[in-house]
Amino acid sequence: MSLKIEKTPEQWKALLSPLEYRVLRESGTEAPFTGEYTDTTAAGIYRCRACGTELFRSDHKFESHCGWPSFYTAAAEDRVVYLEDRSLPGRARVEVRCAACDSHLGHVFEGEGYQTPTDQRFCINSVSLTFEPDGSATHGAPSES
């Protein structure tokens, strides 16, 4: 993974919409079944909306009927970081963040019985992502200017 991307809250607010900022920078959650990519089935790459890092691929996406895009693995393990999340009383979860810019993406769950190679469900906010259909995708994160 390349250098960490660091910006001030003011810089992030200038780049992101209020909803994007709330989810990506303040660990919020978009409402279920409202996200742009919940039902997307096209082939391509999902990138971090904040920094452009490739995070997930369409061939790892599956329909979980949970209301958010679901993936069974990240594009590469060095693209995401995992943090313990105890924000819900009595329920420990694993938060998923972008390794490059520390933006909140969603959570990962295990052992739910989905027929996937990893038995994991990365439950990711659509607003945390951008999508590049196959044929238009470039490799790597955009350069910082």
Side-chain angles (χ1 to χ4, degrees), residues 48-118:
C48 176
R49 187 173 298 266
C51 73
T53 296
E54 181 182 333
L55 298 171
F56 301 98
R57 296 189 180 151
S58 60
D59 54 344
H60 300 145
K61 190 173 190 275
F62 70 100
E63 184 54 58
S64 67
H65 306 283
C66 71
W68 295 274
S70 297
F71 304 87
Y72 62 81
T73 191
E77 277 300 310
D78 67 344
R79 308 290 170 85
V80 295
V81 280
Y82 305 98
L83 300 173
E84 182 179 29
D85 177 358
R86 293 195 172 271
S87 62
L88 295 178
R91 184 170 178 207
R93 301 182 294 173
V94 177
E95 180 184 6
V96 181
R97 290 186 164 266
C98 175
C101 70
D102 198 38
S103 286
H104 171 77
L105 304 171
H107 292 86
V108 63
F109 303 94
E110 292 187 75
E112 295 179 316
Y114 291 104
Q115 298 301 307
T116 62
T118 63

Side-chain angles (χ1 to χ4, degrees), residues 15 26 102 118 129:
L15 291 172
E26 296 177 334
D102 198 38
T118 63
L129 304 170

